[in-house]
Amino acid sequence: MSKHAILSASGAHRWMNCTPSARLELEFDESESEAAAEGTAAHALAEHKLRRALKMRSRKPISKYDCDEMDAHTDAYVDFVLETIAQIKLTCNDPLVLIEQRLDFSRYVPDGFGTGDCVIIGDGTLHVIDFKYGQGVLVNAKDNPQMKLYALGTLELFDGIYDISTVAMTIFQPRRENVSTFTVFKESLYQWAEETLIPTAQLAFKGEGEYAPGEHCQFCRAAVKCRARAEAKLKLAAFEFALPPLLSDEEIGEVLNLIGDLTSWANEIIAYATDAAVNHGKEWPGFKVVEGRSVRKYTDEKAVAEAAKAAGYRDIYRESLITITEMEKLMGKSRFNEILGGLVIKPPGKPTLVPVTDKRPAMSTSNAKNEFLEV
Ligand code: SF4
């Protein structure tokens, strides 16, 4: 059996929104990003620490990503799981705790399986806890299909053996200080599985349905070459034909809405085309590969220092601090706050125009000269 299911739990948000994406993705190689490799290492360390905390045998994994920061975040995950178990034990003597449990949800999703980081059953509740080491995207547990699939896989094993009435699904994402829990009655999960999951998964497995671009495209292997996504991005080109000669405020608002997405899509296309041309000899019509700009550099720093000193120059060295991020990584978050918290400020950011849906509060611009007042 392949390591990854066609309809994986981690890709469920994508293939449930865009059903043909699951089959289209198979045309592209699966390459592991640096962030994914770091996440795998963090999971292995978290699993080891949790096993040891629960008095199970485990050998500490070693990886090139080991650092104080990863140590602190995996400790926080273990503390969270232990607190959850302690809470359950207040009313249930002997909860079932499973770590890295293989979960089969193929009753609902063809060939569907996955691995639950930590599953706990006790006091009528099934707890599914997922450790997320990534920090790029804040992950919410509410209606999260990946978590629901893990929960259904666990119910497949234990419903009927244990008394379960509710399911609590938690995302623990320490690098975003995010702990998100979504609780549902078991019956509503089964209802979702019958009414929504099964028909959608069947379409997805057959590669049928409509291509539906959206924010879920960001993790799709087909994203760069997907025609549906390109067409959605290129909606912007329609403005070239807009009449009359000046865009209205509404039209500029619409352009602003599209431009962030359009820019990141354009950058992805540039990265893909550049890699194909530079590393695989691909020729794109109307383009060529040239040498980019470069900056001068010393061939031998030691020899440079000696030559400069011999010529009588003394003031040739510069000492500088490592960056805040590097310092925080070096010390770990809590030691960093303890030692340097009072010596770090966050200056106000440059005023930026963002959609009203952005979580940050609006800045007052009342002092700005308003050159756009209607006359
Ligand atoms: S890029 Fe988006 S629209 Fe295209 S197949 Fe992937 S998820 Fe669907």
Side-chain angles (χ1 to χ4, degrees), residues 62-209:
I62 309 284
S63 86
K64 66 172 183 174
Y65 301 103
D66 288 341
C67 64
D68 291 347
E69 190 194 9
M70 188 180 282
D71 228 14
H73 292 318
T74 46
D75 280 349
Y77 165 72
V78 172
D79 287 348
F80 176 78
V81 174
L82 294 181
E83 272 167 36
T84 307
I85 296 171
Q87 202 63 33
I88 297 166
K89 279 188 170 170
L90 293 176
T91 48
C92 168
N93 288 336
D94 197 15
L96 176 75
V97 181
L98 299 166
I99 301 166
E100 289 294 309
Q101 174 67 39
R102 185 185 162 92
L103 302 168
D104 186 322
F105 43 85
S106 57
R107 178 195 291 267
Y108 311 97
V109 173
D111 297 341
F113 66 92
T115 307
D117 293 336
C118 182
V119 169
I120 309 167
I121 303 175
D123 200 24
T125 300
L126 160 64
H127 298 261
V128 180
I129 302 172
D130 196 47
F131 176 56
K132 296 246 181 264
Y133 196 63
Q135 57 182 344
V137 177
L138 187 79
V139 189
N140 195 331
K142 186 166 189 300
D143 274 323
N144 184 313
Q146 179 183 13
M147 299 304 287
K148 290 182 181 177
L149 291 179
Y150 288 159
L152 287 166
T154 316
L155 287 170
E156 197 66 9
L157 289 171
F158 299 109
D159 196 15
I161 301 174
Y162 287 83
D163 181 24
I164 299 169
S165 59
T166 51
V167 179
M169 295 162 272
T170 299
I171 303 274
F172 188 86
Q173 189 181 17
R175 290 166 100 191
R176 294 294 299 265
E177 295 179 7
N178 172 33
V179 182
S180 167
T181 299
F182 181 55
T183 305
V184 289
F185 286 116
K186 178 182 73 180
E187 278 69 27
S188 72
L189 199 57
Y190 280 139
Q191 189 182 355
W192 171 79
E194 291 298 330
E195 293 175 3
T196 306
L197 177 60
I198 291 177
T200 311
Q202 280 171 357
L203 272 185
F205 193 71
K206 288 186 266 181
E208 294 175 357

Side-chain angles (χ1 to χ4, degrees), residues 14-15 17-22 24-25 210-214 216-218 220-224 226-229:
R14 174 186 41 74
W15 59 253
N17 277 288
C18 175
T19 50
S21 66
L24 190 66
E25 267 206 326
E210 296 291 317
Y211 287 98
H216 48 268
C217 295
Q218 63 180 313
C220 179
R221 293 207 295 277
V224 174
C226 174
R227 184 176 300 279
R229 185 166 177 248

Side-chain angles (χ1 to χ4, degrees), residues 4 13 102 115 153 192 261 296 322-323 362:
H4 298 290
H13 177 57
R102 185 185 162 92
T115 307
W192 171 79
D261 245 19
R296 295 176 302 162
I322 57 176
T323 65

